[in-house]
Amino acid sequence: MSFDYKKEYKEFYMPNKKPSIVEIPKMNYIAVRGIGDPNEENSDYKHSIGLLYAIAFTIKMSYKGSYKIDGYFEYVVPPLEGFWWQEGKKEIDYTNKENFHFISMIRLPDFVTKKDFDWAIQEATKKKKIDFSTVEFLTYEEGLCVQCMHIGSYDEEPKTITLMHTFMEENGYTLDITDTRFHHEIYLSDPRKCDASKLKTVIRHPIKRKE
C-alpha cells in the first residue's frame, strides 16, 4: 500500500474543526510563486498548479524509468498547499484578491534531494515541452502555528480565522505573520468536484508566545 502523508501525519493534515497549537518541522516542497486573483481564467495561480503536479508526478512515477531515487518508496502525492499574503497587511483581505501574492506548493518526500528535483525538471521539460524554470525546490521550517480545519467556501474562512485567533490569545500566543511567515492553506478537496459548502481546507497561522 502506498504511503499516504495525510493518514500518517494527521496532526499536520487532518486537524479538528476546533483550533489547536502545532509545531511544524522543516519540510521540502515543489514551489511556484505568483501574484493576482487565483480565480481568474489565465491566472498565475492556475498555471502554477499545472506546473506543480507535472513535477510531482514525474518524481512519483520515476521508479518506472531508468532514473532511480535512493530510498524511494511508493507514496500518494501530498495535497496542494499555498502561502498567501498581501503587501503591507497581516490580515487577508478577501475582497481584494487581485492583490494576492502566493507560493503554491506540494510537499516532497524526504528522500527527494535537490539533485532528484533537478532531474525531474529536466525530464518534465523534455517530455512536455513546457517551461518549468519558475518551479523551485523550497525548504521551509514553519515552526509554531495555530491551525484548524475549515469546512466551507474559501470566502468564509474569516469565521474560522477568528476562532483560531481567539484560541491563540486565550492560550498566551500572539499572531506572528511577517515577511517570511505566512497565512497557510492546505487543500484537501478539489473545488471542481466538491460543493463549496463541503470544501475541506486546513488553515494555519504562525504564532509566538506573548512577551
Side-chain angles (χ1 to χ4, degrees), residues 6 9-22 24 146-151 160 164 186 188 200-204:
K6 295 192 302 298
Y9 294 99
K10 290 182 179 180
E11 68 273 28
F12 300 150
Y13 299 104
M14 300 296 291
N16 293 323
K17 289 183 281 186
K18 293 182 179 180
S20 60
I21 306 298
V22 63
I24 309 298
V146 60
Q147 69 178 10
C148 191
M149 181 70 79
H150 171 72
I151 308 295
T160 299
M164 290 165 55
I186 303 175
L188 303 179
K200 290 184 178 180
T201 308
V202 179
I203 302 177
R204 190 181 290 162

Side-chain angles (χ1 to χ4, degrees), residues 41 59 64-65 71 95 97 110 112 132 139 145 159 162 173 186 194 201:
E41 185 62 34
I59 293 171
K64 292 191 173 182
T95 64
K97 295 184 176 69
D110 291 341
V112 177
F132 288 95
T139 301
C145 295
K159 295 178 184 178
T162 297
Y173 297 94
I186 303 175
C194 180
T201 308

Side-chain angles (χ1 to χ4, degrees), residues 11-40:
E11 68 273 28
F12 300 150
Y13 299 104
M14 300 296 291
N16 293 323
K17 289 183 281 186
K18 293 182 179 180
S20 60
I21 306 298
V22 63
E23 182 83 27
I24 309 298
K26 183 184 295 183
M27 300 180 190
N28 295 326
Y29 300 89
I30 311 164
V32 178
R33 300 169 190 262
I35 58 174
D37 186 340
N39 299 316
E40 292 291 333

Side-chain angles (χ1 to χ4, degrees), residues 4-195:
D4 190 333
Y5 285 84
K6 295 192 302 298
K7 294 178 180 178
E8 299 297 332
Y9 294 99
K10 290 182 179 180
E11 68 273 28
F12 300 150
Y13 299 104
M14 300 296 291
N16 293 323
K17 289 183 281 186
K18 293 182 179 180
S20 60
I21 306 298
V22 63
E23 182 83 27
I24 309 298
K26 183 184 295 183
M27 300 180 190
N28 295 326
Y29 300 89
I30 311 164
V32 178
R33 300 169 190 262
I35 58 174
D37 186 340
N39 299 316
E40 292 291 333
E41 185 62 34
N42 296 309
S43 66
D44 281 1
Y45 182 70
K46 290 184 177 178
H47 181 61
S48 77
I49 293 174
L51 295 176
L52 290 176
Y53 277 106
I55 301 304
F57 278 97
T58 297
I59 293 171
K60 172 181 167 62
M61 304 307 294
S62 62
Y63 73 95
K64 292 191 173 182
S66 59
Y67 185 86
K68 303 301 179 184
I69 298 176
D70 188 37
Y72 180 95
F73 53 77
E74 290 192 48
Y75 64 97
V76 177
V77 171
L80 180 69
E81 308 185 35
F83 290 144
W84 297 89
W85 71 95
Q86 292 162 322
E87 295 294 339
K89 294 181 178 290
K90 283 196 173 184
E91 303 286 345
I92 294 292
D93 180 0
Y94 289 82
T95 64
N96 288 295
K97 295 184 176 69
E98 68 275 8
N99 295 325
F100 272 136
H101 292 249
F102 67 84
I103 304 174
S104 191
M105 332 180 279
I106 295 176
R107 181 182 178 178
L108 284 168
D110 291 341
F111 58 72
V112 177
T113 65
K114 178 63 163 55
K115 175 176 173 286
D116 301 321
F117 170 85
D118 290 341
W119 165 82
I121 293 290
Q122 294 175 357
E123 184 73 5
T125 300
K126 180 173 65 177
K127 287 187 174 181
K128 296 183 177 296
K129 312 299 183 186
I130 296 174
D131 180 10
F132 288 95
S133 61
T134 59
V135 185
E136 61 184 276
F137 182 92
L138 175 67
T139 301
Y140 190 84
E141 186 170 357
E142 200 165 6
L144 193 64
C145 295
V146 60
Q147 69 178 10
C148 191
M149 181 70 79
H150 171 72
I151 308 295
S153 74
Y154 305 129
D155 288 339
E156 293 175 345
E157 287 182 3
K159 295 178 184 178
T160 299
I161 290 171
T162 297
L163 290 176
M164 290 165 55
H165 289 184
T166 299
F167 177 83
M168 164 191 79
E169 293 283 344
E170 291 174 348
N171 285 273
Y173 297 94
T174 187
L175 191 65
D176 194 33
I177 287 179
T178 67
D179 290 343
T180 58
R181 304 190 77 199
F182 312 102
H183 171 95
H184 187 178
E185 299 181 1
I186 303 175
Y187 308 105
L188 303 179
S189 306
D190 186 339
R192 299 169 302 177
K193 303 175 182 178
C194 180
D195 186 272

